[in-house]
Structures are given as C-alpha cells and as structure tokens.
Amino acid sequence: LNRIVDEARRLKVKEVCICECGTAYRVMKQLSGDHPFSVSSITEVHARYLRANRIRLDKSKIRGTVIYHDPCQIARNGGVIDEPRYILSQLTDHYTEMTEDPAYNWCCGGGGGLVALGEETLDFRMKSARVKAEQIQAANAVILATACENCHTQLGDLNDHYELGVEVRFLSSMVADALVP
C-alpha cells in the first residue's frame, strides 16, 4: 500500500484506479488515510468514460442473459452499485438482476482470504456458498459478470462444483471485448 501511495504522490497523480481487487479498493479508498489523489475502482472509471462518450461499446458482442455479482468490498462496503449496472446497460439489452435489491445479492463466499487458501478451503467454501449457487442458478443466465478477482475465482469454483453452466467473466474484460474502435 505504501508503495502505491508513495509513487502516486511522487508522480503527483490526480487519481489512482484500482482494478479487480475488492480488498485493495476498500483499503485504498477507506482505510489508508487522506491522500492528495482520488481513488476509483475500474468499474467507476469505465462508467465515467461511457457517460462522457470517451469509450463506446458494441452490444452485439455480448450474447445471452447476463447477471452481475456485487463484490462485498466494492459494492456493499464501497458503495459501487449503480456503475456496473450502467456499464451492463451499455453492453447488453439482456441484463437481469439476481434480486430485487442489489443489497441482497448474496456474498460469493470467497472473501476474507478464503479463496486465496485454495484447495484446503474448497469444501467449506462450496458448502457455505450454496445459497449463492442457488441464486445464480435461479437467474437462468448465460454470463455471470463480476468486478473482483477473489469473487471471480470463487464463482468459477461454484460454477464447476454445482454445474451451474454459466460463463464467469470479469466486467472489465467484457468492456474490453465490446469496445468500438
């Protein structure tokens, strides 16, 4: 963390963008003190660029129903809830919510470092996240998008374990794949 903060100060940057790491986003944005720069998630930056017409997306690149998993650290703890939905509205006409209120979008079950421990926690993670697997299955989607590396790994494991049949994707990769030159 200090390495990033020190380098951002040295370079006199205006903004530090945190890519797909929910914990890094929350720590940098909320827990690391005051900075002479703003901290944004890649999802916030993509939404801002889309709104300002700095980038455009081709909706024909994404096929099938898409659902979005809200990472705990980015969404519920970090407040980034509307931005991914705006991005998805620019990516596809086939986005659907998993719940009526995104605040009740179940945790994936891989946070708190559990997913990083790998195989030794796999059985526990699969059992404890069964409710998330059921939520995904009930949505009848083709693509499950998220914006956090830990969530992506956990959701991939859930997909395999419960044979959910979805394609687990990073939201930022979906944006990259649909960029209009």
Side-chain angles (χ1 to χ4, degrees):
L1 177 67
N2 287 340
R3 174 180 58 84
I4 296 169
V5 171
D6 292 345
E7 190 65 7
R9 283 187 174 137
R10 185 185 74 76
L11 294 170
K12 297 181 175 130
V13 302
K14 294 178 184 175
E15 178 178 33
V16 171
C17 177
I18 305 295
C19 293
E20 282 105 355
C21 183
T23 301
Y25 172 72
R26 182 163 182 241
V27 167
M28 182 67 81
K29 178 110 179 168
Q30 298 176 341
L31 304 174
S32 64
D34 292 329
H35 307 295
F37 51 83
S38 65
V39 177
S40 302
S41 73
I42 189 68
T43 304
E44 292 172 300
V45 172
H46 284 154
R48 184 177 350 125
Y49 284 7
L50 284 163
R51 285 184 174 110
N53 291 315
R54 290 180 69 180
I55 59 174
R56 291 181 302 123
L57 303 177
D58 178 355
K59 284 187 176 183
S60 72
K61 301 290 183 178
I62 307 298
R63 302 201 174 160
T65 302
V66 179
I67 54 177
Y68 180 74
H69 167 74
D70 289 281
C72 291
Q73 298 290 19
I74 297 171
R76 282 171 290 288
N77 291 331
V80 181
I81 294 175
D82 295 334
E83 292 85 347
R85 286 156 178 84
Y86 177 74
I87 294 167
L88 286 160
S89 77
Q90 303 301 299
L91 274 169
T92 181
D93 291 324
H94 305 286
Y95 170 72
T96 187
E97 290 285 353
M98 283 192 270
T99 63
E100 286 184 35
D101 182 345
Y104 296 104
N105 195 342
W106 286 102
C107 171
C108 71
L114 281 175
V115 81
L117 295 173
E119 291 296 317
E120 75 180 64
T121 63
L122 185 64
D123 185 56
F124 173 77
R125 288 187 291 116
M126 294 305 100
K127 287 177 183 171
S128 66
R130 182 181 181 130
V131 67
K132 183 64 186 186
E134 291 168 353
Q135 186 180 55
I136 294 165
Q137 193 168 40
N140 293 314
V142 174
I143 298 170
L144 168 57
T146 192
C148 171
E149 171 62 37
N150 282 344
C151 294
H152 186 276
T153 300
Q154 170 72 357
L155 294 168
D157 289 347
L158 282 175
N159 189 36
D160 293 343
H161 182 82
Y162 288 103
E163 299 177 356
L164 301 173
V166 294
E167 180 184 359
V168 180
R169 304 265 327 258
F170 283 110
L171 183 58
S172 62
S173 295
M174 294 170 68
V175 168
D177 290 346
L179 282 172
V180 173

